Amino acid sequence: MNILVINSGSSSLKYQVFKMPEKSPVCSGLVERIGIEGSFIKHTVYTNNKKHSIEETSFIANHGEALKQVLALLTEGEYAVIASPDDIAAVGHRVVHGGEHFSGPTIITDDVKHQIKKLFSLAPLHNPVNYKCIEVAEQTFVNAKQIAVFDTAFHQTIPEQAYRYAIPEWYYKEQGIRVYGFHGTSHKYVSEQAINWLDKKDTKIISIHLGNGCSITAIKNGKSIDTSMGFGPLSGLMMGTRSGDIDPSVIFHLMEHSGYTLEQLSALLNKQSGLLGVGGSSDMRDIRKMVNEGNAAAALAINLYAYRIKKFIGAYAAVLNGIDAIIFTAGVGENDSNMREAVCSDLNYLGIELDPDLNTAYKGELKEINTADSKVKILVIPTNEEYEIAHQCFGLID
């Protein structure tokens, strides 16, 4: 069964085709800078343990045009992977915000699309683009089932005491203001890998997703019970350009004494803060280079970043009443051994003991990097959101 997975961002579109139930993709690709000068596509086909890549550069006006070009790459030329759109049985769409309506993969109907549209205001950079890709895919892959997999779905198991804010109930009942959580597809995938690795059903796991966006989730017996991102993806950990948790009094102060508008505050906290605001770059690799050059601001950015993670580990150890394993995943989590070491240092009171040699020797597959006598397993697990989306779609329709 061929399943196409579409993971669209505000100006990008990632895709993979899986011949389920095989875990390795048949092909994958990335369309970048949609609607911006310098648009390009990188398309890779995997055959006989070899990679065949094609790169094309031309202006791509919108996501609809991007999907048309993707279809051409899938069906034409020497490395075509399907003969026609009818060879795709299902299209799995990553949709960022599902509100309280969706707790699992969902076949897309007019009502589902209506619910996604209603949530545009909660995810203005993503849900409208996700919706557009659904509409284009419906027209392009006419006979395929269109399935939505929501970033928020995994977190629908969070109990009320964790998802409610301490404000009058009206704001929850009438406006849906509560913790929703994000990166759920990634946290679900890596936590299931960890549960299999631990080979036990009753588990207490802390999953740490560190990319340009960062979140941490407490997972008990495979279910999310608390997470750092809340009503939107701004709260919690320090991120590439987002501030993470900040005292709301700072916002009131800037509005009252500096005349900041809502738009300016949104730009400040979402696009100008985090690693970029403190250290001068949103890319951890650049921050590391600056630290090596003696840049004090970059060093502070790294210390803040690690400190916030450690605070959440302590909080979630209390929520879970213990820890069996912590997971590092996503770009920084998987590739920055120094950050993993900084996070795990001085947590021996929780039974977290990192092995420095195993940590620096990590090479890109699920691996323990804890000492032999560590009470808590420290796991590095590459996330695979696209496969998780395909897997959920396959389970829904198989």
Side-chain angles (χ1 to χ4, degrees):
M1 179 187 295
N2 291 319
I3 295 180
L4 168 64
V5 173
I6 295 174
N7 185 345
S8 54
S10 56
S11 62
S12 66
L13 188 151
K14 291 193 291 183
Y15 63 92
Q16 292 191 26
V17 174
F18 293 88
K19 192 174 183 65
M20 297 300 289
E22 296 296 323
K23 189 170 184 178
S24 297
V26 175
C27 72
S28 64
L30 173 66
V31 188
E32 286 268 45
R33 299 180 64 82
I34 296 171
I36 307 169
E37 289 299 325
S39 310
F40 71 90
I41 299 177
K42 182 174 183 180
H43 177 77
T44 303
V45 178
Y46 307 93
T47 58
N48 301 321
N49 296 318
K50 293 182 179 179
K51 294 196 302 183
H52 307 278
S53 294
I54 301 167
E55 294 191 34
E56 298 180 356
T57 302
S58 63
F59 180 67
I60 300 169
N62 52 54
H63 285 74
E65 187 177 317
L67 265 182
K68 290 176 184 176
Q69 294 200 31
V70 169
L71 176 61
L73 290 166
L74 296 178
T75 57
E76 299 173 6
E78 182 182 358
Y79 297 111
V81 296
I82 56 174
S84 78
D86 291 343
D87 290 339
I88 297 294
V91 181
H93 298 266
R94 177 203 176 208
V95 180
V96 166
H97 214 307
E100 291 187 316
H101 302 285
F102 305 105
S103 58
T106 304
I107 293 176
I108 295 169
T109 62
D110 287 343
D111 181 61
V112 170
K113 289 197 293 183
H114 176 68
Q115 295 296 338
I116 292 170
K117 284 188 76 172
K118 285 176 65 176
L119 294 163
F120 278 9
S121 63
L122 299 189
L125 294 179
H126 292 92
N127 268 39
V129 172
N130 302 152
Y131 184 90
K132 178 61 177 176
C133 285
I134 289 169
E135 289 198 317
V136 175
E138 286 176 329
Q139 298 164 10
T140 307
F141 302 94
V142 178
N143 295 319
K145 292 186 182 299
Q146 307 291 329
I147 299 171
V149 176
F150 298 90
D151 269 9
T152 50
F154 181 59
H155 300 300
Q156 284 299 297
T157 53
I158 292 176
E160 188 173 22
Q161 72 226 33
Y163 74 67
R164 284 286 299 274
Y165 292 113
I167 58 177
E169 184 180 39
W170 181 88
Y171 294 95
Y172 168 59
K173 293 291 187 182
E174 299 299 323
Q175 296 194 30
I177 295 176
R178 54 157 286 178
V179 169
Y180 289 104
F182 300 89
H183 294 144
T185 305
S186 175
H187 288 300
K188 183 177 189 297
Y189 176 79
V190 296
S191 63
E192 287 176 351
Q193 300 297 305
I195 290 167
N196 290 336
W197 181 268
L198 295 170
D199 195 25
K200 58 184 294 190
K201 292 183 178 180
D202 299 327
T203 52
K204 299 173 181 178
I205 293 170
I206 296 175
S207 173
I208 310 168
H209 178 109
L210 303 177
N212 189 51
C214 302
S215 63
I216 181 168
T217 298
I219 302 167
K220 187 172 184 179
N221 303 334
K223 294 183 178 181
S224 173
I225 63 167
D226 206 346
T227 193
S228 58
M229 284 181 169
F231 181 66
L234 177 61
S235 64
L237 302 177
M238 178 176 168
M239 309 178 214
T241 63
R242 298 178 197 144
S243 64
D245 284 346
I246 188 168
D247 183 348
S249 299
V250 174
I251 298 170
F252 305 149
H253 176 86
L254 291 173
M255 292 177 71
E256 182 177 355
H257 296 283
S258 300
Y260 272 61
T261 65
L262 291 176
E263 291 78 10
Q264 289 173 321
L265 286 166
S266 177
L268 169 65
L269 298 178
N270 281 293
K271 299 178 181 180
Q272 300 165 7
S273 298
L275 287 173
L276 176 64
V278 178
S281 173
S282 62
D283 191 312
M284 184 64 78
R285 292 165 293 189
D286 294 339
I287 294 289
R288 290 288 179 196
K289 289 178 184 176
M290 289 190 280
V291 170
N292 292 335
E293 294 166 357
N295 187 306
L300 174 61
I302 283 177
N303 289 337
L304 279 173
Y305 190 99
Y307 180 74
R308 296 284 186 89
I309 299 168
K310 290 165 76 89
K311 283 175 66 176
F312 270 94
I313 290 174
Y316 287 170
V319 168
L320 290 164
N321 191 26
I323 317 171
D324 293 311
I326 63 172
I327 301 167
F328 290 95
T329 194
V332 176
E334 295 169 31
N335 297 304
D336 193 324
S337 60
N338 290 320
M339 182 54 64
R340 295 193 297 262
E341 182 177 9
V343 169
C344 293
S345 66
D346 300 323
L347 291 181
N348 51 302
Y349 77 101
L350 288 175
I352 297 172
E353 300 277 0
L354 181 129
D355 185 308
D357 293 331
L358 291 176
N359 182 39
T360 55
Y362 175 74
K363 294 296 181 184
E365 58 187 22
L366 193 159
K367 185 177 180 182
E368 287 185 21
I369 57 170
N370 50 273
T371 63
D373 57 354
S374 177
K375 294 179 181 178
V376 175
K377 300 292 186 185
I378 307 172
L379 304 175
V380 186
I381 305 179
T383 193
N384 193 337
E385 291 175 286
E386 283 77 20
Y387 171 75
E388 177 61 29
I389 291 169
H391 176 68
Q392 290 190 39
C393 293
F394 184 63
L396 185 66
I397 65 178
D398 182 39

